[in-house]
Amino acid sequence: MIVEIKDLCKDYVQGEQIVPVLHHINMQVDEGEYVAIMGPSGSGKTTLMNILGYLDVQTSGTYLLEGMDYSHATDEEMARIRNEYIGFVFQTYYLMQRQKAWENVSLPLSFRGIPRKERREMAEEALRRVGLEDRMDFYPRQLSGGQCQRVAIARAICTNPKLLLADEPTGALDSKSGLQIMEIFDSLNRDGVAIVMITHEYSVAKRASRIQYIYDGCISDRDLRPRTEDDIK
Ligand SMILES: Nc1ncnc2c1ncn2[C@@H]1O[C@H](COP(=O)(O)OP(=O)(O)O)[C@@H](O)[C@H]1O
Ligand SMILES: [Mg+2]
């Protein structure tokens, strides 16, 4: 099991106010599994994803990554764990505008102290996996939204993480670019990468091996969404 979450709660503290967001979450992700997370806006999906990705910590309960509990790790240790195990893809790419595609991809490798020449080769390999090896020296502004997201995916996978986390990766894309991203995810998953992906679109979620729902901070296997046209696509 790569991810095991037990009785996890998360409260945000906002001034004097405590805002409970996640309630007693239990969830598991097996090695190489592909899980989609769906739920209404504000239900706590991003909060859960940030905890999974060590960008935030739970208030109580446990999160085991490959059986290890890192909840008391320092910021530095968390950064190292992220770098070693996890790739993260966001809706809005978060690319550095002044860095070329390959330089963006190689950022997690700089963190590991890998020399520039080797970084470029590894970035090229990752860009090849997303079909952008011919855009190595392009800046983000010279790329389409879909291509930027593919660069962001290359950045997430250049370290060969076992777990890929994606928070609405197709949310800002047209359907054709979105489909390309989904095909890349399918192929990464076939190569053994476990994926946890948040999405609003059922047609996207359906590609995962399992859909997990969140309502008001509680996890559920049941689909309580109102039917939409997207469901029958
Ligand atoms: N940093 C924060 N401080 C206080 N409340 C927050 C913070 N981040 C998110 N929230 C609250 O937590 C709830 C869940 O947010 P979020 O996880 O972003 O939902 P989703 O991704 O499902 O739309 C929302 O009510 C939001 O207002
Ligand atoms: Mg969100």
Side-chain angles (χ1 to χ4, degrees), residues 45-46 167-168 198:
K45 302 182 297 297
T46 295
D167 192 348
E168 303 201 32
I198 296 174

Side-chain angles (χ1 to χ4, degrees), residues 12-14 19 21 39-48 167-168 198:
Y12 285 114
V13 181
Q14 184 73 289
V19 187
V21 174
S41 188
S43 56
K45 302 182 297 297
T46 295
T47 301
L48 176 61
D167 192 348
E168 303 201 32
I198 296 174

Side-chain angles (χ1 to χ4, degrees), residues 2-232:
I2 185 147
V3 165
E4 189 171 12
I5 281 181
K6 287 187 277 193
D7 203 29
L8 182 142
C9 298
K10 174 71 182 176
D11 305 333
Y12 285 114
V13 181
Q14 184 73 289
E16 302 270 284
Q17 202 186 342
I18 293 176
V19 187
V21 174
L22 297 177
H23 310 282
H24 306 283
I25 302 264
N26 290 293
M27 182 183 156
Q28 299 178 346
V29 181
D30 282 333
E31 304 237 347
E33 207 186 358
Y34 185 174
V35 181
I37 297 182
M38 299 191 85
S41 188
S43 56
K45 302 182 297 297
T46 295
T47 301
L48 176 61
M49 200 61 126
N50 289 344
I51 293 171
L52 284 174
Y54 290 98
L55 297 172
D56 202 353
V57 242
Q58 68 268 30
T59 307
S60 64
T62 40
Y63 167 25
L64 304 179
L65 180 69
E66 295 222 296
M68 299 287 286
D69 183 351
Y70 297 110
S71 54
H72 300 290
T74 61
D75 286 353
E76 230 166 89
E77 284 165 343
M78 271 162 107
R80 188 189 58 74
I81 294 155
R82 247 191 333 266
N83 188 271
E84 188 166 330
Y85 292 100
I86 297 169
F88 218 128
V89 177
F90 304 91
Q91 182 175 354
T92 50
Y93 333 128
Y94 286 117
L95 298 179
M96 309 280 240
Q97 294 302 317
R98 286 164 185 276
Q99 308 242 314
K100 294 174 178 175
W102 83 265
E103 290 168 330
N104 269 288
V105 172
S106 76
L107 279 176
L109 303 170
S110 316
F111 183 85
R112 292 185 180 187
I114 295 173
R116 185 177 168 91
K117 185 166 169 288
E118 223 174 299
R119 282 205 314 267
R120 191 177 156 95
E121 286 164 10
M122 290 168 81
E124 182 170 14
E125 176 53 35
L127 282 166
R128 187 171 295 119
R129 283 174 87 179
V130 300
L132 282 182
E133 67 276 19
D134 58 347
R135 295 286 190 280
M136 294 269 290
D137 293 309
F138 282 52
Y139 289 94
R141 67 183 150 75
Q142 301 171 310
L143 299 169
S144 70
Q147 289 171 331
C148 284
Q149 190 60 300
R150 280 148 70 192
V151 171
I153 294 171
R155 179 182 57 195
I157 61 171
C158 70
T159 51
N160 284 316
K162 291 178 97 172
L163 178 62
L164 183 66
L165 304 175
D167 192 348
E168 303 201 32
T170 62
L173 301 177
D174 60 88
S175 54
K176 185 161 166 270
S177 313
L179 191 60
Q180 268 180 339
I181 299 299
M182 285 305 100
E183 281 164 1
I184 291 168
F185 277 26
D186 288 352
S187 109
L188 292 171
N189 184 241
R190 277 196 301 275
D191 291 345
V193 181
I195 301 176
V196 180
M197 172 186 64
I198 296 174
T199 180
H200 268 120
E201 295 158 86
Y202 187 61
S203 55
V204 169
K206 256 188 331 202
R207 302 179 81 104
S209 40
R210 179 157 65 89
I211 304 180
Q212 191 81 80
Y213 300 89
I214 299 192
Y215 304 103
D216 286 331
C218 297
I219 208 130
S220 166
D221 293 330
R222 285 181 51 208
D223 180 2
L224 305 174
R225 294 168 307 127
R227 299 285 108 193
T228 65
E229 238 174 69
D230 191 34
D231 292 340
I232 35 187

